[in-house]
Amino acid sequence: MSRRALAIDLGGTDLRVAVVDETGAILAFAATRTDSMGGPEAIFTQIDDLVAGVTWETGSIAIVGVGVAAPGPLDPVAGIVIAPPTLQGWSNVPLAAMLRDRLGLPVAIENDANAAALGEWRFGAGRGTSHMVFVTVSTGIGGGVIADGRLLRGHRGMAAEIGHMTISEQSTDSLFGGAPGAWEALASGTALGKRAALRANGGDGAVLRRLAKCSEMTARHVVEAARAGDVLALSLLADEARLLGIGFVNLLHLYSPERLIVGGGLGAALDLMQDGIARTIASRALEAYRTVPVVAAALGHRAGLVGAACLIV
């Protein structure tokens, strides 16, 4: 009989729980909006409810442990969530110990981006590699690195905070949030949405304004307009491809991966940016790195759950 793990993906927006077997298959799944402002106890109550649902669904299936993907910074060895900006009141919370006491099972926790990297490596687009970099491009930019067949954690598990690489000295970068010049301040989905809002004020922004209606303009609107052939949206994605490509060049030189995998909301639009990314890599990377494939993630929103289960099974 295969081994099964309880997997928890604790995000600032969504909380997901699943039962996952050792082949990466999800046997039961439940999700809710995270009570990110309610503090630890509110979220533990949500976890209890979701766990009850998936364990009822799977009946008598034995679960050998609990794997958790949680926002950083966190210490995976001590099992402590240190101070994630997306969760109110979470300061040095002993997440692993508290879940162990509530569920009566062994618990392992990991940074959510690292967990997603594990999932893609074992069961997704990174299968068969020993050296791989996973990048998630959404609200911010995060990622995880597989080096010599192992997850690269670094001191206190905080290695590969790739979104904080500085790729520019332009003071205007602070318009897009984060540290001025940081990769995620320039190339995240948030930055793309803000750049689109600035450029959509003129007559050529009619399509984007119509898609956004009265709401905040987002990267999703840009991708939707680009797929419809809108010239401004395609120009915005060309800029995005160049900025992503600059960061990818740094990752290629730093980690020498066999494959670079792109996930997150903008990862789903990789096909629209592939040529621009390839041109940037060809113009900036040393020749030996230019042939490394840049591919879309395979697991989508399941990557964190599957990776969390990998910590156990």
Side-chain angles (χ1 to χ4, degrees):
M1 182 179 293
S2 65
R3 302 166 72 215
R4 281 92 171 193
L6 189 64
I8 299 171
D9 187 355
L10 171 56
T13 302
D14 294 311
L15 173 62
R16 303 181 178 98
V17 174
V19 176
V20 184
D21 71 14
E22 60 191 6
T23 71
I26 292 178
L27 308 180
F29 172 83
T32 189
R33 298 286 285 184
T34 307
D35 186 356
S36 59
M37 304 299 290
E41 278 305 320
I43 290 179
F44 282 123
T45 298
Q46 290 185 304
I47 290 173
D48 290 342
D49 291 342
L50 295 178
V51 168
V54 296
T55 53
W56 177 85
E57 186 177 341
T58 53
S60 60
I61 288 179
I63 293 172
V64 298
V66 183
V68 185
L74 59 77
D75 185 334
V77 177
I80 294 172
V81 175
I82 298 171
T86 55
L87 298 177
Q88 182 83 16
W90 284 66
S91 179
N92 295 313
V93 175
L95 176 59
M98 294 176 76
L99 284 176
R100 186 168 57 245
D101 291 344
R102 295 174 90 99
L103 301 175
L105 290 166
V107 177
I109 75 170
E110 186 55 81
N111 175 285
D112 50 7
N114 282 348
L118 274 176
E120 287 289 343
W121 177 50
R122 291 294 307 277
F123 300 110
R127 282 179 296 181
T129 65
S130 295
H131 311 276
M132 182 204 92
V133 176
F134 170 77
V135 182
T136 177
V137 187
S138 53
T139 305
I141 294 181
V145 175
I146 302 296
D148 297 317
R150 300 185 66 176
L151 178 66
L152 179 66
R153 286 194 169 97
H155 178 57
R156 298 194 75 187
M158 294 191 289
E161 286 289 350
I162 58 178
H164 298 286
M165 292 187 299
T166 298
I167 66 167
S168 173
E169 292 182 344
Q170 296 178 23
S171 59
T172 53
D173 296 349
S174 59
L175 285 171
F176 307 118
W183 193 26
E184 74 171 17
L186 282 165
S188 64
T190 302
L192 175 58
K194 291 183 177 180
R195 194 157 46 243
L198 288 173
R199 290 185 57 184
N201 289 327
D204 57 352
V207 173
L208 284 170
R209 292 197 303 272
R210 185 174 68 250
L211 289 172
K213 298 179 181 176
C214 295
S215 62
E216 181 180 4
M217 199 167 291
T218 66
R220 178 177 57 82
H221 298 129
V222 176
V223 173
E224 187 177 348
R227 293 202 183 281
D230 180 64
V231 174
L232 175 58
L234 289 168
S235 173
L236 285 162
L237 283 188
D239 292 340
E240 178 70 14
R242 180 181 59 82
L243 292 166
L244 287 176
I246 292 170
F248 292 159
V249 168
N250 290 341
L251 298 176
L252 292 172
H253 289 156
L254 283 169
Y255 299 115
S256 188
E258 300 163 69
R259 203 170 300 160
L260 202 156
I261 297 166
V262 187
L266 274 176
L270 183 63
D271 60 308
L272 294 172
M273 300 184 286
Q274 197 93 52
D275 290 346
I277 289 169
R279 283 193 297 271
T280 302
I281 290 174
S283 67
R284 289 174 174 264
L286 295 174
E287 186 174 356
Y289 299 91
R290 295 175 191 169
T291 58
V292 175
V294 178
V295 303
L299 299 181
H301 71 272
R302 298 178 296 142
L305 285 170
V306 173
C310 289
L311 301 172
I312 302 297
V313 298

